Amino acid sequence: MMKKFGYRLDAGPLGSAAELAGEWDEGNCRRAVQLYLFSMMGEFIEPDHVLCPQIFYQTGTFVVNVGQKFDFEILGNGDVIFAERLKNRQGTEINCGRSAFCSTDDYLISLHTALYTGYKSREIWHATAIEGSSCYWDTQRFQEFYRPVAAKRLVQALS
C-alpha cells in the first residue's frame, strides 16, 4: 500500500529523493506520480520532469496518445494517466476539455495525473481533491470523474 496523504493543490513534486522519503502529509497528483514511481520502482523523477506540460511533451513514452482510443488493458504498472476532469467534488459536471483553455499548455497543466497499478478493484492510485487525499480507485469510479486522454510510461524511458 502506498502512503496516504491529504490533498493540497499547491503541494507539488519535491526536489529530492530524501525529501520524498521524508516526513510530509500533503501533496497533489504530481507528487503522487513522483512518490509512486520512487516507492514502487525505485526511480526518482525530478520536479521539472513530472510537472505539466514538460511531463507530457518530453518525459517518457506514450502508451496511449491523444486521439487514440483509451484502453486500460494495454497499460502496465506505473504508467501515468493524463485525464480531463468531468465532475467536481460535489459531482457537478464541469468542462475541462481542450476548448475551455486559451492554449494547449494551459490545457495540459489542467490535466489530472494518476498511476495505473493493474490491481483488480484498485487499478488507479492518485491524489485528488474529490477524495481530499491519496487513494485507490477502480477504473469505473475513475471514469465517473475523469476522462483519460493519454498515458505514458516513464520508468522504462528513464532507465
Side-chain angles (χ1 to χ4, degrees), residues 15 17 38 52 54 71 98 123 132 137-138 140 145 149 155 158:
F38 180 70
C52 281
Q54 171 80 8
D71 182 1
R98 173 62 185 95
E123 296 94 346
W137 282 4
D138 61 29
Q140 182 177 353
F145 288 91
V149 297
V155 172
L158 294 171

Side-chain angles (χ1 to χ4, degrees), residues 24-74:
W24 51 272
D25 60 2
E26 293 180 315
N28 65 19
C29 64
R30 310 298 194 241
R31 187 179 294 182
V33 167
Q34 204 182 33
L35 178 64
Y36 190 90
L37 296 176
F38 180 70
S39 298
M40 301 302 282
M41 302 182 164
E43 292 284 344
F44 177 75
I45 312 290
E46 295 289 337
D48 60 336
H49 292 285
V50 78
L51 291 171
C52 281
Q54 171 80 8
I55 188 176
F56 197 86
Y57 288 135
Q58 295 180 7
T59 308
T61 57
F62 282 102
V63 179
V64 180
N65 207 336
V66 173
Q68 289 182 308
K69 182 178 187 274
F70 199 92
D71 182 1
F72 286 102
E73 295 296 317
I74 65 171

Side-chain angles (χ1 to χ4, degrees), residues 66 81-87 94-99 101 107 110-113 142-150:
V66 173
I81 300 165
F82 298 88
E84 297 172 354
R85 284 183 299 144
L86 297 173
K87 296 179 183 177
I94 56 175
N95 178 12
C96 286
R98 173 62 185 95
S99 64
F101 297 91
Y107 168 68
S110 80
L111 292 176
H112 180 60
T113 52
F142 187 76
Q143 290 177 97
E144 180 182 334
F145 288 91
Y146 297 97
R147 184 178 78 82
V149 297

